[in-house]
Amino acid sequence: TDRDGVALAKFDVKSDRGSTSIEIRPSIGEMLDTPPKNIDFDAATSGFEGNKFLMISVSFSLSPIDDEKFESVPTKILKHLYLRQIGEWPDKGCFVGKLPESGDHVYIRIECDKVTGSGKITVCGNNAMASNS
């Protein structure tokens, strides 16, 4: 997240055999807030520069997708993440979310060729950092 521990629940479960600490952290996708509708994706992402800029790209390959499943990709993404779709879904989808603490925007572009099943996901934002867990 943009602030470690913003949404963290800590418990101590105690019994006659001792105590166990438990931490529950929601994923960043569950914590994103939906930004305003009037965002120009290309204009917003073209201005990223410097050492506070983060861009991660991941390529993927799937089996070819039929038309119905291909058209439902944005709906499935929006069902699981608090993002706003920007523009239409021909071969790429642009989405934006807002980080919970700072309010900074996170931009996501998903490109996919329905014939070959290959594509790329790019995530970028200013004042952000990434971690694997």
Side-chain angles (χ1 to χ4, degrees), residues 40-133:
D40 181 340
F41 189 93
D42 292 326
T45 56
S46 68
F48 288 150
E49 58 185 50
N51 60 359
K52 292 186 176 183
F53 165 68
L54 169 73
M55 178 183 277
I56 300 170
S57 289
V58 178
S59 296
F60 61 87
S61 183
L62 306 169
S63 30
I65 304 170
D66 67 45
D67 288 343
E68 185 178 329
K69 286 183 182 176
F70 186 76
E71 294 301 322
S72 71
V73 168
T75 305
K76 293 192 184 294
I77 291 169
L78 296 172
K79 180 179 176 181
H80 295 285
L81 300 171
Y82 295 112
L83 298 171
R84 180 172 306 284
Q85 183 175 356
I86 300 172
E88 297 299 318
W89 172 253
D91 308 348
K92 68 180 179 187
C94 297
F95 303 89
V96 62
K98 190 166 67 170
L99 293 172
E101 182 68 16
S102 67
D104 289 339
H105 291 153
V106 175
Y107 299 91
I108 301 165
R109 174 173 280 150
I110 301 173
E111 300 172 58
C112 184
D113 183 311
K114 71 178 176 182
V115 176
T116 65
S118 63
K120 180 170 79 170
I121 299 172
T122 303
V123 179
C124 54
N126 267 330
N127 301 313
M129 49 189 235
S131 67
N132 255 344
S133 59

Side-chain angles (χ1 to χ4, degrees), residues 26-43:
S27 72
I28 187 68
E30 293 172 316
M31 294 181 5
L32 289 173
D33 192 12
T34 307
K37 292 181 179 181
N38 59 347
I39 293 177
D40 181 340
F41 189 93
D42 292 326

